[in-house]
Amino acid sequence: MLNIIASSAKELNPDFVQTPRHRNEDNVKWVERNLKKLAAEDGARGMSYLVLMGGTQKSYFHTRVAQGHLRNDMSPSHWSHVVLLQGSGPTKKGAIWEIALEPAEGFGYPPSDNAVEEAHLSNYASKNMFPNIAVLRVPVKLSEMKKTILQFKKQRVDLDCVELLLLWLGYVWGVGRADNPLFDGYGLPSAAFIEALCSANGYDLTPGLESRASCPEAIWQAARWWHEFQRDQQGAAPLRGMWHTEHYLGK
């Protein structure tokens, strides 16, 4: 088991709710529908939004299994990837920042930008390939996130996401004796990247886990269980959003 602290909250976050996918609704349409609701709320102007995804392909399957060590019942996580939206409202293609293990346009040369890539949410539109989906509002201004991303791309000394990318590719590809990187405190690059942005702006995205070991499962648990800590201890608005899951790997 990994060293993760349990929240003392007795009730699930009432502001993170299950919202089923409509018939014939793909992931982009589901996100846009729920993003409109979140962006219209008081205090939402200019905030940042994350999208969690759980995939069924081999690399996503392995990452979901790897994160099972953060769960009490050891069942695989629902989640395999997380991205940061480039806008705080719906956009035609949903431009995103991400560090993906299977980028749709290929890797390019990751060292140039600390593995950060710009892509589109439409790459994850398929509800068959990505049956699990969630959208979260983070109480950090998107304008501040953008400034931090510019610095993050140039400062691998703070968090080397190129190293994380190679470690996780070795694990999901079964290279040699590659172990689960989480055992050594190396988080999934997609989540560690976003965690670092939030931390630089004074927000602890996953209070129950060391930030460099961040992963989509830790963000999911923070959204569900750490709302009281975020409100009472951090003095910040809790994570707020919607989720839908239909693919389970555990019992």
Side-chain angles (χ1 to χ4, degrees), residues 90-113:
T91 59
K92 186 174 181 181
K93 292 187 177 180
I96 60 174
W97 289 285
E98 68 171 353
I99 301 179
L101 299 184
E102 290 188 13
E105 289 81 24
F107 287 105
Y109 187 62
S112 297
D113 293 304

Side-chain angles (χ1 to χ4, degrees), residues 34-237:
N34 290 290
L35 193 59
K36 286 179 181 178
K37 296 177 183 178
L38 291 171
E41 294 175 348
D42 292 340
R45 186 178 179 84
M47 292 299 174
S48 303
Y49 293 88
L50 310 181
V51 177
L52 284 168
M53 289 158 282
T56 57
Q57 307 96 302
K58 288 184 176 67
S59 64
Y60 294 111
F61 169 84
H62 287 301
T63 57
R64 289 171 65 181
V65 171
Q67 294 172 90
H69 292 274
L70 276 74
R71 297 172 60 86
N72 290 334
D73 61 1
M74 294 290 290
S75 63
S77 174
H78 299 312
W79 311 103
S80 47
H81 191 44
V82 59
V83 304
L84 172 63
L85 295 180
Q86 289 193 16
S88 55
T91 59
K92 186 174 181 181
K93 292 187 177 180
I96 60 174
W97 289 285
E98 68 171 353
I99 301 179
L101 299 184
E102 290 188 13
E105 289 81 24
F107 287 105
Y109 187 62
S112 297
D113 293 304
N114 203 1
V116 178
E117 295 188 285
E118 295 188 36
H120 294 95
L121 193 61
S122 56
N123 295 338
Y124 303 98
S126 172
K127 62 182 181 181
N128 294 321
M129 294 177 67
F130 301 94
N132 301 338
I133 189 79
V135 61
L136 288 164
R137 187 175 72 217
V138 180
V140 177
K141 290 287 187 180
L142 183 60
S143 59
E144 297 304 313
M145 287 285 215
K146 290 179 179 178
K147 294 176 185 177
T148 309
I149 288 173
L150 294 176
Q151 299 172 346
F152 183 88
K153 288 180 176 181
K154 302 174 183 178
Q155 296 180 353
R156 286 173 59 188
V157 67
D158 293 332
L159 178 64
D160 190 345
C161 280
V162 179
E163 178 186 21
L164 295 182
L165 185 62
L166 290 175
L167 287 170
W168 277 94
L169 287 175
Y171 171 70
V172 300
W173 290 348
V175 177
R177 298 182 179 181
D179 292 324
N180 183 345
L182 286 175
F183 291 153
D184 294 318
Y186 294 107
L188 268 159
S190 63
F193 157 56
I194 292 172
E195 178 89 41
L197 300 182
C198 291
S199 179
N201 286 285
Y203 188 77
D204 189 353
L205 183 62
T206 58
L209 188 68
E210 200 276 321
S211 60
R212 289 177 180 267
S214 187
C215 56
E217 174 64 26
I219 297 173
W220 163 253
Q221 292 188 24
R224 299 191 86 200
W225 291 106
W226 285 89
H227 52 290
E228 293 179 359
F229 174 87
Q230 290 163 340
R231 182 184 63 245
D232 300 335
Q233 302 298 319
Q234 288 189 288

